[in-house]
Amino acid sequence: MHHDGRALAGVSEPRESRAGADDNGSRPPLPKAAASDRSLTFAGVALAAVYVPDAGNGDLRLVETAGRATSRYLPPERLPLSGDSPAAHAFRTERPLWLDLADLADLAPRPGGRDSEGQISGGRLSEGRLSGGGLSEGRLSEGGLSEGLPTPPSAQSARAQQPQAPPTEAPLAALPLGAEGRRLGCLVVVGASPVGFEAEQRRFLERYADAIAGMLRTDAGRPPPSSLLSPALRSLGVGSFVLMPDTGRIEADEALLELVGITPDDFDGKVDTLLAHALPEDMHALISVLEPSTEAFGRRELEFRVRRPTGGMRWLSLTCRVVASTDDRPEQVLGMVTATSVLRQSADDVSRIQWLTAALDDATTVHDVGRVVVTALREPLGADRVALAELRDDRLMVTVLDPPQPDAWPETWRSEWRSEWPDAPVSALPTLQLALRDGRMNLWSAGTALEPALAGIGAGGLAVLPLPAKGRVAGVCLVGWDEPHDFVPEERSLFTATAALVGQALNRAHAHDAEQELATMLQRSLLPRRLPELPGGTAVARYLPARRGLQVGGDWYDVIALSEDRVALVIGDVQGHSAGAATIMGQMRTAVRAYAVEGHPPDVVVSRANRLLVGMETDLFATCCYAELDLEEGNTLFVRAGHLAPLIRHPDGRTEEVQVEGGLPLGILAEAEFPMTAVALTPGTVLALVTDGLVEAADLPLDEGMRRTRGALAAADPADPGRMADELLGGLDRREDDVALLLLRYDGMKSRPIRAGWAVWRLPDAVMHARRFTSRTLRKWRVADVADAVLLVVSELVTNALVHTQGPVRVDLMLRGDRLRVCVTDSSPRAPAKPVSVDWESTGGRGLLLVEAMSESFGSMPVADGKQVWSEMVVPPHEPTPEDPEPGTDPGPGTGTGTEQGGVP
């Protein structure tokens, strides 16, 4: 069903005056509404009237009106030039007169003015208000815009049939019409909003008045044309439309069709026909306006581009508002479209592009490119968020976020925050996926319906810039605003230039980072991913690569849990900072760890690592500092191979450099000796192992660097070892070499275990003696409740050791809390093997199965001269008695403690 535009727009009929109309006081007829009325509505105009001077009697004569021409807004046919009406005042002074409600409420009558008549004195209303809805000598009165003339009967009868007029108080403006020093008339407009005319609306009305004056000037010497207001709007390039969102039908005037580039005969009344002429990059913003949600009933503005039939591009500005139905659903969208001139870039814009080009040329890494993008876009554009991400396969790898705090980004981003920055599959962001596939810039204005992951970035506006590079999309840049943001043409130009430059720079940086990533990934894979949790201390480590060349080097560290109460700490440095140094580093770390877990003492571990490096036939050497710490007693054994001495921070804050006897660096002499140095640590002591990259540089002597590090170690708070390590590293802007740092805060064991040992002789009744030793020890420890299971485990393990190995055999028992540990050590390096299957005719193989069944946990580990098979069981708690042994003591005399060789219990 066809809808008439008047009903859709909610505007009343304009009135036009014929040239040379009779001056008998009769009013011109009211023709059908023109589409230009809608444009005036969006300019804040409820009524527009054009007056021209009448040479015959010296009055201003009304020639045309447009807008809501109700009886309350009927302007007078004539206004005396000698009067103080707004129109006469503007005509005489040739200056526009703007009368807002706020102005009128505060104005006072000018001395000598006609206050009783409410006339203008000096450009002000003497009564200071617009009353009754009409204008009489500068006052809107019930009779209409006249000099107190009564309302004609025809107007009175029409009043009852027309819509209710807007509020009686309204702003008013009078703009002179003139050209080349000639006074041609006056344009009088009544505002539609009580807040008055905004600056943008005033500029539009001044342009509108100039256009009307231009038409009057063209017809100089002849009667004014019968139509001025609508042709003047068309000359400004202003079109209007009424859209029904439910049906997609749109009523557009000829001016709008001409702006888009469609002839009236080719227009089918569908909104899709108009959208087909818009550029794809602006389609999302247009759809958000033309398909409004229930929350978007306010005024909306945006700029977009259309492709003309000739192939050229035109910028258009759209202003619209939504009319709601009775059920608060969007029923109509009323809009105005004007042509927008694209301004040339200013000198500042050119300088900005030049700066961006130079800054990106100096950016060598992807992270550097991201920092340049943030500097170029966020603050200059007043943006709240900027994100730069690389497109790798089907994932977005974020490289820079500003602001960097996770709580500044949507929940979807925070859930993917597994490392320094989040990363997520592109499929999780369908709107962004479409933009990346098309490779076009997309600008979404405030109120656009986007998935939460994107809507949370820019609720007031979001710019999505795919970054092109060599025929592909290298990444994407997101710029978001929290408050509503209008995308002006200058910003669009800046976005286009930025995307192209950043895409190329990102491609170059990615090639650089690819080489760097290979070396970095190699080094990270060779360093420990996490440090073990220790029962009597806390260890933290830091590694920073050199800032020159490949950011990879030969520094390494490791924390090796040797047993429940012993830990080894090692730090080393292979000569150079290259991929080759990183390779040697990985081999040395693996070798040291392997020798350490075998149970060798520190000097043997370092000596064997030295022999390995000498035999690798490399020109590189390495330094190393190795420490083995007894977490129960605090006794530490140090070995130093050409490395820096360790540092110690005592509980009282004092620091010292441990005087460890040193040996040659690894890889120089195969027969080098590495003596051990013993140091006792007290709980609360912090042990620091560092590499020379932290304490030495071209402008920093080693002694001064060690002094500074000791000072930082003394000033740091040992309660947080992680923060302590960060404070020791400091800014390190001068970093020329790799830096490795390993800290251990020794706290001591909260509970010390009880131990007992027995050296088993190879006698026919050796198993019986081992069982008697175990039984007696369990009674002393008051854990005889588990004696049967423990005796069975001891019998099986000792029997296996005696039967399948040569050399000494030893039994060790340890009780810590509710855990009892049985260890049987022999001289064979081969781990015990459980049988694959056991049948009824098998004569052996059941022992290990029984041990495993009786144990809470069970296993074997290599030691210096063989292996140790262990079993751990849970024992019920008991109340201590005076007869219980003190922690850390053996059960008493008569039991083997390792010095005895197995007496008869």
Side-chain angles (χ1 to χ4, degrees), residues 772-794:
R772 288 181 178 180
F773 156 73
T774 302
S775 178
R776 183 176 64 251
T777 302
L778 296 180
R779 288 196 302 270
K780 291 286 186 181
W781 289 353
R782 302 180 63 84
V783 289
D785 295 342
V786 295
D788 293 339
V790 174
L791 292 175
L792 175 60
V793 169
V794 169

Side-chain angles (χ1 to χ4, degrees), residues 50 107 145 317 387 392 414 757:
V50 176
L107 293 180
L145 189 59
S317 177
R392 299 183 187 176
R414 295 198 296 271

Side-chain angles (χ1 to χ4, degrees), residues 73 130-136 138-142 144-145 168 170 172 190:
Y73 278 159
L130 294 172
S131 60
L135 182 69
S136 175
R139 180 179 62 197
L140 283 175
S141 63
E142 185 68 13
L145 189 59
T168 57
L172 181 142
V190 177

Side-chain angles (χ1 to χ4, degrees), residues 78-290:
R78 292 182 177 277
L79 291 173
L81 282 174
S82 59
D84 281 342
S85 66
H89 180 80
F91 181 82
R92 292 195 307 266
T93 62
E94 300 184 18
R95 291 199 303 261
L97 179 63
W98 304 96
L99 300 177
D100 295 338
L101 290 180
D103 297 332
L104 300 178
D106 298 331
L107 293 180
R110 188 186 68 178
R114 288 178 291 175
D115 298 345
S116 61
E117 294 294 328
Q119 295 176 349
I120 289 290
S121 298
R124 298 186 174 185
L125 282 182
S126 58
E127 288 192 356
R129 62 191 178 93
L130 294 172
S131 60
L135 182 69
S136 175
E137 292 277 307
R139 180 179 62 197
L140 283 175
S141 63
E142 185 68 13
L145 189 59
S146 64
E147 293 187 275
L149 297 177
T151 303
S154 58
Q156 295 178 2
S157 60
R159 181 186 309 166
Q161 302 175 5
Q162 293 180 350
Q164 180 66 31
T168 57
E169 294 187 349
L172 181 142
L175 296 91
L177 304 177
E180 300 176 353
R182 297 174 52 227
R183 300 176 182 176
L184 302 177
C186 182
L187 171 66
V188 178
V189 293
V190 177
S193 170
V195 298
F197 296 101
E198 300 175 356
E200 186 68 24
Q201 293 173 336
R202 293 190 180 190
R203 287 193 293 269
F204 173 79
L205 291 175
E206 289 172 352
R207 291 175 53 212
Y208 188 31
D210 292 340
I212 297 174
M215 300 186 67
L216 291 173
R217 180 185 57 191
T218 304
D219 298 280
R222 293 181 297 176
S226 59
S227 179
L228 290 169
L229 295 173
S230 294
L233 279 175
R234 286 196 297 270
S235 69
L236 294 177
V238 178
S240 63
F241 66 89
V242 179
L243 168 70
M244 281 65 71
D246 290 341
T247 62
R249 304 290 297 182
I250 186 171
E251 181 177 328
D253 59 14
E254 293 184 7
L256 174 57
L257 297 180
E258 193 280 328
L259 289 173
V260 177
I262 304 177
T263 62
D265 294 336
D266 296 334
F267 183 57
D268 56 2
K270 297 180 180 179
V271 69
D272 293 340
T273 305
L274 293 174
L275 290 177
H277 289 71
L279 266 64
E281 296 94 317
D282 303 332
M283 192 68 69
H284 294 288
L286 280 173
I287 291 178
S288 69
V289 170
L290 301 180

Side-chain angles (χ1 to χ4, degrees), residues 457-793:
I457 298 176
L462 178 64
V464 177
L465 313 179
L467 308 176
K470 294 185 177 180
R472 68 179 185 90
V473 176
V476 63
C477 180
L478 305 178
V479 185
W481 290 262
D482 290 336
E483 299 298 327
H485 180 77
D486 297 327
F487 295 101
V488 299
E490 291 84 352
E491 288 181 355
R492 296 171 182 262
S493 302
L494 175 64
F495 286 148
T496 303
T498 300
L501 292 173
V502 173
Q504 297 172 10
L506 195 63
N507 193 57
R508 294 194 306 268
H510 190 274
H512 173 273
D513 286 354
E515 180 182 2
Q516 180 64 54
E517 182 184 4
L518 179 61
T520 303
M521 183 174 60
L522 169 65
Q523 186 166 45
R524 287 181 177 177
S525 64
L526 297 176
L527 291 174
R529 298 185 60 182
R530 61 180 61 88
L531 301 182
E533 295 184 3
L534 304 176
T538 303
V540 297
R542 297 290 187 269
Y543 173 80
L544 298 175
R547 286 183 174 173
R548 56 186 178 91
L550 283 177
Q551 295 183 13
V552 67
D555 290 13
W556 92 89
Y557 60 87
D558 205 352
V559 177
I560 309 166
L562 303 176
S563 64
E564 289 188 345
D565 56 359
R566 290 190 309 121
V567 62
L569 296 93
V570 58
I571 193 166
D573 184 4
V574 177
Q575 177 189 10
H577 50 276
S578 62
T583 304
I584 298 298
M585 174 270 290
Q587 293 173 308
M588 293 307 299
R589 173 179 170 257
T590 303
V592 170
R593 171 173 280 270
Y595 296 140
V597 297
E598 284 184 352
H600 298 292
D603 56 342
V604 176
V605 171
V606 177
S607 178
R608 293 192 176 186
N610 174 60
R611 288 177 175 272
L612 176 66
L613 184 56
V614 171
M616 292 173 60
E617 298 182 354
T618 177
D619 295 333
L620 301 178
F621 63 87
T623 64
C624 174
C625 184
Y626 185 97
E628 182 180 312
L629 172 62
D630 183 348
L631 295 171
E632 182 179 341
E633 301 293 340
N635 297 324
T636 310
L637 294 175
F638 290 99
V639 173
R640 188 164 63 92
H643 200 81
L644 297 174
L647 301 177
I648 287 180
R649 183 189 188 277
H650 295 284
D652 58 3
R654 293 181 299 110
T655 62
E656 67 171 306
E657 185 176 329
V658 182
Q659 300 301 317
V660 177
E661 188 176 354
L664 293 175
L666 305 180
I668 294 180
L669 181 63
E671 303 301 327
E673 295 183 357
F674 302 96
M676 293 190 297
T677 301
V679 177
L681 304 182
T682 58
T685 301
V686 177
L687 174 63
L689 304 179
V690 301
T691 59
D692 56 359
L694 179 65
V695 297
E696 189 177 21
D699 58 346
L700 181 66
L702 178 60
D703 293 341
E704 177 64 17
M706 292 292 284
R707 188 189 65 80
R708 291 184 182 181
T709 303
R710 287 181 56 183
L713 187 64
D717 183 7
D720 187 349
R723 178 173 296 180
M724 194 178 202
D726 295 335
E727 292 177 359
L728 287 179
L729 291 177
L732 288 180
D733 294 334
R734 53 178 171 75
R735 190 167 75 240
E736 302 171 359
D737 197 2
D738 310 351
V739 175
L741 171 65
L742 181 59
L743 293 183
L744 173 72
R745 187 189 64 202
Y746 172 61
D747 301 324
M749 304 285 283
K750 294 182 178 180
S751 62
R752 293 190 177 184
I754 306 174
R755 290 188 175 89
W758 180 264
V760 181
W761 280 4
R762 289 185 173 272
L763 299 174
D765 55 353
V767 176
M768 179 188 67
H769 294 321
R771 288 172 56 89
R772 288 181 178 180
F773 156 73
T774 302
S775 178
R776 183 176 64 251
T777 302
L778 296 180
R779 288 196 302 270
K780 291 286 186 181
W781 289 353
R782 302 180 63 84
V783 289
D785 295 342
V786 295
D788 293 339
V790 174
L791 292 175
L792 175 60
V793 169

